[in-house]
Amino acid sequence: MARRLLIAASLSVAALVCAGCGSQGISVSKSSPYHAGAVLFVQRCGACHTLNAAGTQGSATNVSDKENVDGPNLNTRIEKEQDVIFAIENGGFSGAIMPENIATGREKIEIAQFVSKYAGSLVAKTAASPAAQTGSANGLSSPKTGTANGLSGAKAPKTQTVPTSSGH
């Protein structure tokens, strides 16, 4: 009897933990070439990373809730395929928490293609669309001068940035 109660209690705790994960399911069509990468992302990466297209919420949204295993929220980061491959092979960019080679071979490529396609989805939605206004990929070049922030002689940054509402 005690064993059954222990099993029931364990299952209840597991159900509560899973319910708290906030997984919403993969929103990528099964016919999409990125679907296999989405499934692998959920399996290998979703516990630590948030990405709406995969339905995962592994990153803390509140700094006070952050744990050392929380990976970056990929809804708010634009990632290139080669950078995702580097992170998979090397345990992230800091090498502190993420295991190295969490996927290899074709699976690594499928995850990298999926992440590079869908990462940064909130950046595109929240960035008051300066890219559409200027025709630049990162929204930093001036339509008149083609230079960063419209200042002549300035070089556009190599990394993707999100313009702030203060105009800086």
Side-chain angles (χ1 to χ4, degrees):
M1 179 71 169
R3 182 176 175 182
R4 286 186 180 161
L5 287 174
L6 181 60
I7 291 171
S10 296
L11 290 174
S12 296
V13 168
L16 286 173
V17 168
C18 287
C21 294
S23 180
Q24 302 164 353
I26 296 170
S27 63
V28 178
S29 168
K30 288 184 180 183
S31 63
S32 169
Y34 301 103
H35 188 266
V39 171
L40 290 165
F41 180 87
V42 170
Q43 294 170 349
R44 311 278 174 88
C45 315
C48 298
H49 294 280
T50 296
L51 187 54
N52 288 350
T56 62
Q57 296 182 357
S59 309
T61 56
N62 183 341
V63 175
S64 64
D65 295 337
K66 188 158 177 60
E67 298 174 341
N68 66 342
V69 295
D70 289 345
N73 179 339
L74 296 173
N75 290 320
T76 60
R77 286 175 61 136
I78 295 173
E79 295 291 347
K80 295 179 181 173
E81 185 177 335
Q82 64 269 20
D83 293 336
V84 177
I85 290 171
F86 177 90
I88 291 170
E89 292 174 343
N90 296 287
F93 295 105
S94 66
I97 301 296
M98 184 173 154
E100 294 177 1
N101 295 311
I102 197 156
T104 58
R106 183 70 196 143
E107 292 179 342
K108 170 181 64 179
I109 302 301
E110 289 174 337
I111 292 170
Q113 289 173 342
F114 164 72
V115 170
S116 66
K117 170 72 175 169
Y118 291 97
S121 61
L122 293 182
V123 172
K125 291 179 185 175
T126 60
S129 193
Q133 297 168 10
T134 64
S136 70
N138 62 13
L140 294 176
S141 68
S142 163
K144 292 182 182 177
T145 64
T147 58
N149 298 322
L151 302 174
S152 102
K155 293 184 180 177
K158 292 182 181 179
T159 58
Q160 192 75 27
T161 58
V162 179
T164 61
S165 59
S166 65
H168 289 77

